[in-house]
Amino acid sequence: MNEPITSSDQQSAYEEIIAFLDNAPSLQLTEDLQLFLMESTNYINIQNIRDVIENTKYSIENPDKFLSENKEFIERYLAHKQSEEYKNSPIYKIQTILKEFNHTSGYYDIFIPAMKKLSVSYSEYCKQMEVVNEKLSLQYPEINKLNN
């Protein structure tokens, strides 16, 4: 976060975030999923992370262009996410565990709303993501089934 705290609402949100992080339960992954995650991320470097950030920024600033330029990739991705191969994969298991963890830990109900109050730029980012998700859902309605 690159923004200073300038209001009592932001200070309160900051304290909520700290309390959430201090009290959040540990994420429990089986040993085989931990190993998979470590092996899968072993070669990720700073440049890879920067590239992901730039691609994400581009996609939310230009959602229509991004969707049209990446139509084939998105369709292959959606087909893969619906495949039995994917549903039996370690990454599917990890995503399922993370989804459940985020629902039960208060991540969506406590952490995200507090982040939106704390950071104007994060709040704007979330609004942009909502627009992109709406456009994606309109163009690919089957994606809604994958996110539940």
Side-chain angles (χ1 to χ4, degrees):
M1 186 167 130
N2 295 327
E3 303 167 36
I5 294 173
T6 59
S7 71
S8 59
D9 282 346
Q10 286 178 308
Q11 182 63 40
S12 179
Y14 174 77
E15 290 167 10
E16 273 185 72
I17 290 167
I18 297 302
F20 172 83
L21 294 172
D22 285 345
N23 297 306
S26 296
L27 178 63
Q28 301 296 316
L29 294 176
T30 60
E31 194 172 321
D32 62 321
L33 292 180
Q34 289 178 36
L35 184 60
F36 171 82
L37 198 53
M38 286 190 300
E39 289 173 355
S40 299
T41 58
N42 201 24
Y43 299 102
I44 295 176
N45 60 40
I46 296 296
Q47 188 57 49
N48 298 134
I49 295 169
R50 286 186 182 129
D51 291 345
V52 168
I53 291 168
E54 282 305 308
N55 288 335
T56 302
K57 184 178 174 185
Y58 173 77
S59 71
I60 64 175
E61 289 174 352
N62 307 288
D64 294 323
K65 188 174 182 184
F66 177 83
L67 289 171
S68 68
E69 288 175 351
N70 293 282
K71 184 177 180 10
E72 276 184 46
F73 173 80
I74 294 167
E75 289 171 359
R76 283 194 321 265
Y77 172 77
L78 291 173
H80 175 70
K81 293 271 290 197
Q82 295 173 59
S83 73
E84 286 305 312
E85 176 187 7
Y86 171 73
K87 291 176 183 175
N88 292 314
S89 71
I91 196 66
Y92 176 82
K93 292 173 187 165
I94 291 170
Q95 287 179 335
T96 301
I97 291 167
L98 278 172
K99 251 188 242 181
E100 180 62 25
F101 178 82
N102 288 343
H103 281 290
T104 60
S105 70
Y107 178 78
Y108 296 121
D109 300 326
I110 298 167
F111 184 79
I112 296 297
M115 280 296 297
K116 289 177 181 179
K117 288 180 204 168
L118 178 62
S119 170
V120 173
S121 60
Y122 183 73
S123 181
E124 285 301 313
Y125 166 80
C126 289
K127 287 176 189 170
Q128 287 177 306
M129 286 301 292
E130 288 172 13
V131 169
V132 172
N133 285 334
E134 188 174 317
K135 288 178 184 264
L136 188 62
S137 291
L138 288 172
Q139 195 163 340
Y140 301 98
E142 67 271 26
I143 202 164
N144 295 322
K145 290 183 260 176
L146 300 175
N147 293 328
N148 293 330

